[in-house]
Amino acid sequence: MEKKAAIEIQFNWMFVLIVGVIIFIFFTRITMKYQEVSESKIAISVLANVDTIATGAASSRDTDQIIDIPNVNMKISSTEDCYRTYKIGGNNRRLEDVFIFSPDEIEGNKLIFWTLDWSIPYRIANLVFLTSPLVKYVIVGDSGLANEVNSMLDSGLGVPLAIEQRATPGDISLVPDHNHYQVRFVFFGFDPDGVSVSQFEDMPDKDVTAIQIIPDGTTFEETGTIRFFEKEADVLRPVTDGTTYYLKKEAMYGALFSGNKYIYNCNMKAAFERLRFVSQLYQNRSILLNNIYSAQSLACANYYSQACCNDANPRILTIRDLAEDMAREFPRDLQDMNDMYTVAYNEDSDFSLEGIKQLNNHVLYYSCPEIY
Amino acid sequence: MRRSQIKMGETMGILIIFFFLVIFGFSFYTNIQKWTFEQQKRVNLELNIIKLYQRAKFMSEFQCSFKDISVDNCYDMYKLQAFEQLIDKEDGVKDYYINMFGTSQINIVEIYPGNAKYYIYNNSIGSYTYKEVVGIPISIYNATSKRYALGLLNITVYSR
């Protein structure tokens, strides 16, 4: 009888232990799953909000705003074949029609959005610059363009961007390390190759980067070359195939905010794709206007015809074709940028060489519908 | 029946009731989640329609502009006509705008004085679960006659 009772007590304890463990595992799993779902929910909601804000920002030109978000780590990436995404945890979204130039990683609970209108000479789209107050920007150089960029980012923006200017690369040693998670140097008139950034030696190489901006004098600095650099040990070194180009200063700002060459080049490729379609639209519109005004033998017909249908210099078609080439392969060379700029803005006194902007001024003079 | 057997039966009964309650609670929670998910889908669709409106409203492809200054809620008639030609005839254009407008339908109807209709974009789907329609009053500008017409921008968004 005693033996039986002892077995029963032992069995009860075993039973309670097994059932207890099962119940414990069950609730632990539920809690873990719930935590996972909550994190995923926050990530999805932040991604959706960023998407909506980016679309809104891209709809209004020349605006800046600072947005509060939950403290998450957002990664923005562009692959070599230009698959552009932004990602929080395991959730990601594809960037389709918005051109967002940003560091490859955004940390902290604030996002800075700034947009600039990109027109050549007609409006194509708004370029969106996205960054964090925890990224430091250092302008190196004191040329006119360097001062212009510094004053634009320092006082021209209504948002607190961590920015400072140093006249020469030698002054970089005076830049204090304030624990920003990324540092971007922007060189004007100096080659960053071999420049020491020893105070940031402990930071990961990919988080201390630089670009060199070499503006082209023939286009009033509206086109130019950009070279990407990254820290190696304690000096800056050029990135492999890191040379690219800009068309208009708005694109130059795009390079300044892009964390790496892929983010810049892929956004520009997408922007040129859009330029191609918008150009074709203006081509169709100019043909429609040309037909209407030619039928009435009005003076403006000549300007529409120059814009769309001049065999020797079909301005809009030239821009469209160059844009198509660059949407396929970017970067190509600086000459393509200069050619496009010339077709758009040339102020030549020879009528047959005038750019689209000049032709548009002529039709305005005659009170005809604008070309764009 | 022995006492130990009765005790065992009680324990089993309690456990069965306990797990029944857990399963019932879990299925209740799952159903609530399902319902919330459907609601969220609906909210997303509404957000999507706002996004499409924002895009269509500010796209340089349609907007009126005078001396480089764009005018809100104004659509250039010749741009609309040029866009119709573009999306119909040019290779790759429709694919490009599918990324932008998704499964939706966008058209502009002139209400006064004429009754012209501009088919901007059509990627409607046959079998859909939700459909949201929004109509926004706009002006349509004729650049040659320099006259404005009253129109309606119709956006329909579909979701499976």
Side-chain angles (χ1 to χ4, degrees), chain A residues 32-66:
Chain A
M32 280 168 70
K33 199 81 196 158
Y34 187 75
Q35 192 186 354
E36 226 171 73
V37 169
S38 296
E39 279 171 5
S40 192
K41 254 184 174 172
I42 292 171
I44 289 168
S45 130
V46 173
L47 286 175
N49 287 342
V50 169
D51 196 31
T52 310
I53 293 162
T55 308
S59 305
S60 41
R61 62 160 98 174
D62 302 346
T63 55
D64 49 64
Q65 53 186 322
I66 189 155

PDB file of all heavy atoms in Angstrom, chain A residues 32-66:
ATOM      1  N   MET A  32       7.182  35.646 -27.174  1.00  0.00           N
ATOM      2  CA  MET A  32       8.234  35.936 -28.164  1.00  0.00           C
ATOM      3  C   MET A  32       7.613  36.336 -29.501  1.00  0.00           C
ATOM      4  O   MET A  32       8.042  37.277 -30.159  1.00  0.00           O
ATOM      5  CB  MET A  32       9.162  34.734 -28.335  1.00  0.00           C
ATOM      6  CG  MET A  32      10.187  34.655 -27.209  1.00  0.00           C
ATOM      7  SD  MET A  32      11.042  33.088 -27.186  1.00  0.00           S
ATOM      8  CE  MET A  32      12.032  33.220 -28.634  1.00  0.00           C
ATOM      9  N   LYS A  33       6.592  35.580 -29.883  1.00  0.00           N
ATOM     10  CA  LYS A  33       5.914  35.841 -31.158  1.00  0.00           C
ATOM     11  C   LYS A  33       5.277  37.238 -31.134  1.00  0.00           C
ATOM     12  O   LYS A  33       5.350  37.998 -32.099  1.00  0.00           O
ATOM     13  CB  LYS A  33       4.832  34.761 -31.378  1.00  0.00           C
ATOM     14  CG  LYS A  33       4.380  34.613 -32.793  1.00  0.00           C
ATOM     15  CD  LYS A  33       5.346  33.758 -33.598  1.00  0.00           C
ATOM     16  CE  LYS A  33       5.096  33.943 -35.073  1.00  0.00           C
ATOM     17  NZ  LYS A  33       6.235  33.608 -35.883  1.00  0.00           N
ATOM     18  N   TYR A  34       4.678  37.565 -29.959  1.00  0.00           N
ATOM     19  CA  TYR A  34       4.007  38.851 -29.832  1.00  0.00           C
ATOM     20  C   TYR A  34       5.016  39.995 -29.946  1.00  0.00           C
ATOM     21  O   TYR A  34       4.770  40.998 -30.609  1.00  0.00           O
ATOM     22  CB  TYR A  34       3.280  38.920 -28.480  1.00  0.00           C
ATOM     23  CG  TYR A  34       2.423  40.158 -28.360  1.00  0.00           C
ATOM     24  CD1 TYR A  34       1.210  40.243 -29.047  1.00  0.00           C
ATOM     25  CD2 TYR A  34       2.840  41.246 -27.610  1.00  0.00           C
ATOM     26  CE1 TYR A  34       0.429  41.383 -28.965  1.00  0.00           C
ATOM     27  CE2 TYR A  34       2.064  42.388 -27.522  1.00  0.00           C
ATOM     28  CZ  TYR A  34       0.868  42.455 -28.197  1.00  0.00           C
ATOM     29  OH  TYR A  34       0.100  43.578 -28.131  1.00  0.00           O
ATOM     30  N   GLN A  35       6.184  39.781 -29.335  1.00  0.00           N
ATOM     31  CA  GLN A  35       7.243  40.800 -29.408  1.00  0.00           C
ATOM     32  C   GLN A  35       7.694  40.985 -30.864  1.00  0.00           C
ATOM     33  O   GLN A  35       7.845  42.105 -31.347  1.00  0.00           O
ATOM     34  CB  GLN A  35       8.418  40.369 -28.544  1.00  0.00           C
ATOM     35  CG  GLN A  35       9.422  41.487 -28.331  1.00  0.00           C
ATOM     36  CD  GLN A  35      10.659  41.020 -27.600  1.00  0.00           C
ATOM     37  OE1 GLN A  35      10.711  39.867 -27.147  1.00  0.00           O
ATOM     38  NE2 GLN A  35      11.642  41.879 -27.507  1.00  0.00           N
ATOM     39  N   GLU A  36       7.868  39.854 -31.552  1.00  0.00           N
ATOM     40  CA  GLU A  36       8.282  39.861 -32.965  1.00  0.00           C
ATOM     41  C   GLU A  36       7.263  40.629 -33.817  1.00  0.00           C
ATOM     42  O   GLU A  36       7.615  41.485 -34.622  1.00  0.00           O
ATOM     43  CB  GLU A  36       8.343  38.415 -33.456  1.00  0.00           C
ATOM     44  CG  GLU A  36       9.593  38.090 -34.251  1.00  0.00           C
ATOM     45  CD  GLU A  36       9.638  36.585 -34.497  1.00  0.00           C
ATOM     46  OE1 GLU A  36       8.848  36.112 -35.327  1.00  0.00           O
ATOM     47  OE2 GLU A  36      10.443  35.908 -33.836  1.00  0.00           O
ATOM     48  N   VAL A  37       5.968  40.285 -33.555  1.00  0.00           N
ATOM     49  CA  VAL A  37       4.881  40.923 -34.321  1.00  0.00           C
ATOM     50  C   VAL A  37       4.851  42.421 -34.032  1.00  0.00           C
ATOM     51  O   VAL A  37       4.692  43.244 -34.951  1.00  0.00           O
ATOM     52  CB  VAL A  37       3.516  40.261 -33.986  1.00  0.00           C
ATOM     53  CG1 VAL A  37       2.350  41.067 -34.537  1.00  0.00           C
ATOM     54  CG2 VAL A  37       3.468  38.858 -34.546  1.00  0.00           C
ATOM     55  N   SER A  38       5.033  42.810 -32.752  1.00  0.00           N
ATOM     56  CA  SER A  38       5.010  44.228 -32.386  1.00  0.00           C
ATOM     57  C   SER A  38       6.134  44.988 -33.082  1.00  0.00           C
ATOM     58  O   SER A  38       5.928  46.078 -33.611  1.00  0.00           O
ATOM     59  CB  SER A  38       5.164  44.399 -30.879  1.00  0.00           C
ATOM     60  OG  SER A  38       4.085  43.834 -30.253  1.00  0.00           O
ATOM     61  N   GLU A  39       7.344  44.397 -33.061  1.00  0.00           N
ATOM     62  CA  GLU A  39       8.486  45.048 -33.718  1.00  0.00           C
ATOM     63  C   GLU A  39       8.216  45.200 -35.209  1.00  0.00           C
ATOM     64  O   GLU A  39       8.485  46.238 -35.803  1.00  0.00           O
ATOM     65  CB  GLU A  39       9.765  44.235 -33.487  1.00  0.00           C
ATOM     66  CG  GLU A  39      10.391  44.519 -32.123  1.00  0.00           C
ATOM     67  CD  GLU A  39      11.523  43.569 -31.797  1.00  0.00           C
ATOM     68  OE1 GLU A  39      11.882  42.750 -32.668  1.00  0.00           O
ATOM     69  OE2 GLU A  39      12.035  43.650 -30.669  1.00  0.00           O
ATOM     70  N   SER A  40       7.676  44.132 -35.780  1.00  0.00           N
ATOM     71  CA  SER A  40       7.373  44.144 -37.214  1.00  0.00           C
ATOM     72  C   SER A  40       6.318  45.196 -37.530  1.00  0.00           C
ATOM     73  O   SER A  40       6.407  45.906 -38.519  1.00  0.00           O
ATOM     74  CB  SER A  40       6.885  42.759 -37.598  1.00  0.00           C
ATOM     75  OG  SER A  40       6.847  42.628 -38.958  1.00  0.00           O
ATOM     76  N   LYS A  41       5.322  45.319 -36.628  1.00  0.00           N
ATOM     77  CA  LYS A  41       4.250  46.301 -36.794  1.00  0.00           C
ATOM     78  C   LYS A  41       4.825  47.713 -36.806  1.00  0.00           C
ATOM     79  O   LYS A  41       4.465  48.531 -37.651  1.00  0.00           O
ATOM     80  CB  LYS A  41       3.256  46.173 -35.634  1.00  0.00           C
ATOM     81  CG  LYS A  41       1.943  45.529 -35.992  1.00  0.00           C
ATOM     82  CD  LYS A  41       1.066  45.576 -34.767  1.00  0.00           C
ATOM     83  CE  LYS A  41      -0.324  45.098 -35.047  1.00  0.00           C
ATOM     84  NZ  LYS A  41      -1.092  44.978 -33.811  1.00  0.00           N
ATOM     85  N   ILE A  42       5.736  47.995 -35.847  1.00  0.00           N
ATOM     86  CA  ILE A  42       6.359  49.331 -35.767  1.00  0.00           C
ATOM     87  C   ILE A  42       7.135  49.596 -37.054  1.00  0.00           C
ATOM     88  O   ILE A  42       7.021  50.664 -37.659  1.00  0.00           O
ATOM     89  CB  ILE A  42       7.287  49.439 -34.531  1.00  0.00           C
ATOM     90  CG1 ILE A  42       6.442  49.413 -33.257  1.00  0.00           C
ATOM     91  CG2 ILE A  42       8.133  50.710 -34.576  1.00  0.00           C
ATOM     92  CD1 ILE A  42       7.224  49.301 -31.981  1.00  0.00           C
ATOM     93  N   ALA A  43       7.915  48.572 -37.490  1.00  0.00           N
ATOM     94  CA  ALA A  43       8.728  48.737 -38.697  1.00  0.00           C
ATOM     95  C   ALA A  43       7.847  49.031 -39.902  1.00  0.00           C
ATOM     96  O   ALA A  43       8.123  49.961 -40.676  1.00  0.00           O
ATOM     97  CB  ALA A  43       9.562  47.482 -38.936  1.00  0.00           C
ATOM     98  N   ILE A  44       6.755  48.242 -40.044  1.00  0.00           N
ATOM     99  CA  ILE A  44       5.863  48.436 -41.202  1.00  0.00           C
ATOM    100  C   ILE A  44       5.218  49.814 -41.138  1.00  0.00           C
ATOM    101  O   ILE A  44       5.146  50.528 -42.147  1.00  0.00           O
ATOM    102  CB  ILE A  44       4.785  47.318 -41.245  1.00  0.00           C
ATOM    103  CG1 ILE A  44       5.447  46.002 -41.647  1.00  0.00           C
ATOM    104  CG2 ILE A  44       3.671  47.660 -42.223  1.00  0.00           C
ATOM    105  CD1 ILE A  44       4.592  44.778 -41.461  1.00  0.00           C
ATOM    106  N   SER A  45       4.807  50.221 -39.943  1.00  0.00           N
ATOM    107  CA  SER A  45       4.151  51.526 -39.817  1.00  0.00           C
ATOM    108  C   SER A  45       5.143  52.650 -40.115  1.00  0.00           C
ATOM    109  O   SER A  45       4.789  53.621 -40.787  1.00  0.00           O
ATOM    110  CB  SER A  45       3.521  51.627 -38.435  1.00  0.00           C
ATOM    111  OG  SER A  45       3.857  52.773 -37.795  1.00  0.00           O
ATOM    112  N   VAL A  46       6.399  52.527 -39.658  1.00  0.00           N
ATOM    113  CA  VAL A  46       7.401  53.559 -39.968  1.00  0.00           C
ATOM    114  C   VAL A  46       7.680  53.601 -41.476  1.00  0.00           C
ATOM    115  O   VAL A  46       7.727  54.669 -42.088  1.00  0.00           O
ATOM    116  CB  VAL A  46       8.719  53.321 -39.176  1.00  0.00           C
ATOM    117  CG1 VAL A  46       9.813  54.273 -39.623  1.00  0.00           C
ATOM    118  CG2 VAL A  46       8.483  53.495 -37.698  1.00  0.00           C
ATOM    119  N   LEU A  47       7.820  52.397 -42.078  1.00  0.00           N
ATOM    120  CA  LEU A  47       8.084  52.343 -43.529  1.00  0.00           C
ATOM    121  C   LEU A  47       6.949  52.999 -44.311  1.00  0.00           C
ATOM    122  O   LEU A  47       7.177  53.772 -45.234  1.00  0.00           O
ATOM    123  CB  LEU A  47       8.259  50.892 -43.991  1.00  0.00           C
ATOM    124  CG  LEU A  47       9.563  50.201 -43.614  1.00  0.00           C
ATOM    125  CD1 LEU A  47       9.519  48.739 -44.030  1.00  0.00           C
ATOM    126  CD2 LEU A  47      10.756  50.862 -44.265  1.00  0.00           C
ATOM    127  N   ALA A  48       5.692  52.683 -43.882  1.00  0.00           N
ATOM    128  CA  ALA A  48       4.529  53.261 -44.580  1.00  0.00           C
ATOM    129  C   ALA A  48       4.516  54.770 -44.416  1.00  0.00           C
ATOM    130  O   ALA A  48       4.254  55.506 -45.369  1.00  0.00           O
ATOM    131  CB  ALA A  48       3.244  52.644 -44.045  1.00  0.00           C
ATOM    132  N   ASN A  49       4.836  55.244 -43.177  1.00  0.00           N
ATOM    133  CA  ASN A  49       4.844  56.684 -42.942  1.00  0.00           C
ATOM    134  C   ASN A  49       5.930  57.372 -43.747  1.00  0.00           C
ATOM    135  O   ASN A  49       5.696  58.425 -44.324  1.00  0.00           O
ATOM    136  CB  ASN A  49       5.036  56.988 -41.448  1.00  0.00           C
ATOM    137  CG  ASN A  49       3.794  56.668 -40.662  1.00  0.00           C
ATOM    138  OD1 ASN A  49       2.714  56.552 -41.241  1.00  0.00           O
ATOM    139  ND2 ASN A  49       3.925  56.505 -39.366  1.00  0.00           N
ATOM    140  N   VAL A  50       7.114  56.748 -43.778  1.00  0.00           N
ATOM    141  CA  VAL A  50       8.227  57.336 -44.540  1.00  0.00           C
ATOM    142  C   VAL A  50       7.839  57.410 -46.016  1.00  0.00           C
ATOM    143  O   VAL A  50       8.082  58.415 -46.692  1.00  0.00           O
ATOM    144  CB  VAL A  50       9.525  56.513 -44.340  1.00  0.00           C
ATOM    145  CG1 VAL A  50      10.604  56.937 -45.331  1.00  0.00           C
ATOM    146  CG2 VAL A  50      10.035  56.680 -42.933  1.00  0.00           C
ATOM    147  N   ASP A  51       7.191  56.347 -46.485  1.00  0.00           N
ATOM    148  CA  ASP A  51       6.761  56.298 -47.878  1.00  0.00           C
ATOM    149  C   ASP A  51       5.801  57.445 -48.190  1.00  0.00           C
ATOM    150  O   ASP A  51       5.947  58.160 -49.177  1.00  0.00           O
ATOM    151  CB  ASP A  51       6.076  54.944 -48.125  1.00  0.00           C
ATOM    152  CG  ASP A  51       5.943  54.631 -49.592  1.00  0.00           C
ATOM    153  OD1 ASP A  51       6.822  55.078 -50.349  1.00  0.00           O
ATOM    154  OD2 ASP A  51       4.978  53.969 -49.980  1.00  0.00           O
ATOM    155  N   THR A  52       4.797  57.624 -47.299  1.00  0.00           N
ATOM    156  CA  THR A  52       3.806  58.691 -47.497  1.00  0.00           C
ATOM    157  C   THR A  52       4.474  60.059 -47.411  1.00  0.00           C
ATOM    158  O   THR A  52       4.209  60.943 -48.234  1.00  0.00           O
ATOM    159  CB  THR A  52       2.685  58.581 -46.431  1.00  0.00           C
ATOM    160  OG1 THR A  52       2.234  57.233 -46.417  1.00  0.00           O
ATOM    161  CG2 THR A  52       1.525  59.492 -46.738  1.00  0.00           C
ATOM    162  N   ILE A  53       5.359  60.230 -46.424  1.00  0.00           N
ATOM    163  CA  ILE A  53       6.032  61.526 -46.256  1.00  0.00           C
ATOM    164  C   ILE A  53       6.924  61.820 -47.465  1.00  0.00           C
ATOM    165  O   ILE A  53       6.959  62.933 -47.977  1.00  0.00           O
ATOM    166  CB  ILE A  53       6.856  61.556 -44.941  1.00  0.00           C
ATOM    167  CG1 ILE A  53       5.906  61.505 -43.746  1.00  0.00           C
ATOM    168  CG2 ILE A  53       7.717  62.811 -44.853  1.00  0.00           C
ATOM    169  CD1 ILE A  53       6.559  61.098 -42.454  1.00  0.00           C
ATOM    170  N   ALA A  54       7.635  60.766 -47.938  1.00  0.00           N
ATOM    171  CA  ALA A  54       8.518  60.953 -49.103  1.00  0.00           C
ATOM    172  C   ALA A  54       7.704  61.346 -50.334  1.00  0.00           C
ATOM    173  O   ALA A  54       8.115  62.219 -51.101  1.00  0.00           O
ATOM    174  CB  ALA A  54       9.307  59.684 -49.373  1.00  0.00           C
ATOM    175  N   THR A  55       6.542  60.693 -50.513  1.00  0.00           N
ATOM    176  CA  THR A  55       5.686  61.046 -51.658  1.00  0.00           C
ATOM    177  C   THR A  55       5.218  62.486 -51.518  1.00  0.00           C
ATOM    178  O   THR A  55       5.225  63.246 -52.484  1.00  0.00           O
ATOM    179  CB  THR A  55       4.458  60.102 -51.736  1.00  0.00           C
ATOM    180  OG1 THR A  55       4.930  58.769 -51.705  1.00  0.00           O
ATOM    181  CG2 THR A  55       3.655  60.324 -52.990  1.00  0.00           C
ATOM    182  N   GLY A  56       4.822  62.862 -50.290  1.00  0.00           N
ATOM    183  CA  GLY A  56       4.388  64.238 -50.048  1.00  0.00           C
ATOM    184  C   GLY A  56       5.511  65.218 -50.287  1.00  0.00           C
ATOM    185  O   GLY A  56       5.327  66.259 -50.935  1.00  0.00           O
ATOM    186  N   ALA A  57       6.704  64.869 -49.776  1.00  0.00           N
ATOM    187  CA  ALA A  57       7.863  65.755 -49.935  1.00  0.00           C
ATOM    188  C   ALA A  57       8.208  65.896 -51.415  1.00  0.00           C
ATOM    189  O   ALA A  57       8.520  66.995 -51.897  1.00  0.00           O
ATOM    190  CB  ALA A  57       9.057  65.199 -49.164  1.00  0.00           C
ATOM    191  N   ALA A  58       8.114  64.777 -52.138  1.00  0.00           N
ATOM    192  CA  ALA A  58       8.467  64.814 -53.563  1.00  0.00           C
ATOM    193  C   ALA A  58       7.449  65.620 -54.374  1.00  0.00           C
ATOM    194  O   ALA A  58       7.712  65.993 -55.507  1.00  0.00           O
ATOM    195  CB  ALA A  58       8.549  63.389 -54.110  1.00  0.00           C
ATOM    196  N   SER A  59       6.281  65.872 -53.776  1.00  0.00           N
ATOM    197  CA  SER A  59       5.251  66.621 -54.489  1.00  0.00           C
ATOM    198  C   SER A  59       5.410  68.126 -54.336  1.00  0.00           C
ATOM    199  O   SER A  59       4.794  68.883 -55.063  1.00  0.00           O
ATOM    200  CB  SER A  59       3.868  66.231 -53.968  1.00  0.00           C
ATOM    201  OG  SER A  59       3.705  64.851 -54.066  1.00  0.00           O
ATOM    202  N   SER A  60       6.184  68.556 -53.328  1.00  0.00           N
ATOM    203  CA  SER A  60       6.325  70.004 -53.150  1.00  0.00           C
ATOM    204  C   SER A  60       7.791  70.390 -53.242  1.00  0.00           C
ATOM    205  O   SER A  60       8.636  69.769 -52.609  1.00  0.00           O
ATOM    206  CB  SER A  60       5.743  70.414 -51.809  1.00  0.00           C
ATOM    207  OG  SER A  60       6.094  69.478 -50.831  1.00  0.00           O
ATOM    208  N   ARG A  61       8.061  71.394 -54.051  1.00  0.00           N
ATOM    209  CA  ARG A  61       9.448  71.752 -54.297  1.00  0.00           C
ATOM    210  C   ARG A  61      10.006  72.708 -53.234  1.00  0.00           C
ATOM    211  O   ARG A  61       9.263  73.458 -52.611  1.00  0.00           O
ATOM    212  CB  ARG A  61       9.605  72.366 -55.681  1.00  0.00           C
ATOM    213  CG  ARG A  61       8.835  73.657 -55.883  1.00  0.00           C
ATOM    214  CD  ARG A  61       9.404  74.424 -57.044  1.00  0.00           C
ATOM    215  NE  ARG A  61       8.661  74.212 -58.269  1.00  0.00           N
ATOM    216  CZ  ARG A  61       8.923  74.876 -59.397  1.00  0.00           C
ATOM    217  NH1 ARG A  61       9.899  75.731 -59.464  1.00  0.00           N
ATOM    218  NH2 ARG A  61       8.207  74.667 -60.474  1.00  0.00           N
ATOM    219  N   ASP A  62      11.333  72.639 -53.082  1.00  0.00           N
ATOM    220  CA  ASP A  62      12.073  73.534 -52.182  1.00  0.00           C
ATOM    221  C   ASP A  62      11.485  73.583 -50.768  1.00  0.00           C
ATOM    222  O   ASP A  62      11.211  74.654 -50.234  1.00  0.00           O
ATOM    223  CB  ASP A  62      12.130  74.953 -52.764  1.00  0.00           C
ATOM    224  CG  ASP A  62      12.780  74.962 -54.132  1.00  0.00           C
ATOM    225  OD1 ASP A  62      13.398  73.940 -54.485  1.00  0.00           O
ATOM    226  OD2 ASP A  62      12.668  75.965 -54.845  1.00  0.00           O
ATOM    227  N   THR A  63      11.264  72.423 -50.200  1.00  0.00           N
ATOM    228  CA  THR A  63      10.758  72.406 -48.821  1.00  0.00           C
ATOM    229  C   THR A  63      11.727  71.630 -47.946  1.00  0.00           C
ATOM    230  O   THR A  63      12.479  70.782 -48.429  1.00  0.00           O
ATOM    231  CB  THR A  63       9.393  71.691 -48.730  1.00  0.00           C
ATOM    232  OG1 THR A  63       9.540  70.392 -49.298  1.00  0.00           O
ATOM    233  CG2 THR A  63       8.304  72.445 -49.448  1.00  0.00           C
ATOM    234  N   ASP A  64      11.704  71.942 -46.667  1.00  0.00           N
ATOM    235  CA  ASP A  64      12.476  71.128 -45.731  1.00  0.00           C
ATOM    236  C   ASP A  64      11.617  70.862 -44.519  1.00  0.00           C
ATOM    237  O   ASP A  64      10.777  71.674 -44.160  1.00  0.00           O
ATOM    238  CB  ASP A  64      13.791  71.808 -45.332  1.00  0.00           C
ATOM    239  CG  ASP A  64      13.598  73.237 -44.922  1.00  0.00           C
ATOM    240  OD1 ASP A  64      12.917  73.477 -43.923  1.00  0.00           O
ATOM    241  OD2 ASP A  64      14.129  74.136 -45.610  1.00  0.00           O
ATOM    242  N   GLN A  65      11.769  69.694 -43.950  1.00  0.00           N
ATOM    243  CA  GLN A  65      10.995  69.361 -42.752  1.00  0.00           C
ATOM    244  C   GLN A  65      11.737  68.315 -41.932  1.00  0.00           C
ATOM    245  O   GLN A  65      12.551  67.567 -42.447  1.00  0.00           O
ATOM    246  CB  GLN A  65       9.603  68.868 -43.124  1.00  0.00           C
ATOM    247  CG  GLN A  65       9.578  67.733 -44.124  1.00  0.00           C
ATOM    248  CD  GLN A  65       8.178  67.380 -44.568  1.00  0.00           C
ATOM    249  OE1 GLN A  65       7.266  67.407 -43.775  1.00  0.00           O
ATOM    250  NE2 GLN A  65       7.999  67.045 -45.832  1.00  0.00           N
ATOM    251  N   ILE A  66      11.444  68.343 -40.648  1.00  0.00           N
ATOM    252  CA  ILE A  66      12.049  67.349 -39.754  1.00  0.00           C
ATOM    253  C   ILE A  66      10.907  66.508 -39.183  1.00  0.00           C
ATOM    254  O   ILE A  66       9.901  67.043 -38.738  1.00  0.00           O
ATOM    255  CB  ILE A  66      12.931  68.039 -38.684  1.00  0.00           C
ATOM    256  CG1 ILE A  66      13.736  67.012 -37.909  1.00  0.00           C
ATOM    257  CG2 ILE A  66      12.152  68.933 -37.746  1.00  0.00           C
ATOM    258  CD1 ILE A  66      14.993  67.567 -37.302  1.00  0.00           C
TER     259      ILE A  66
END
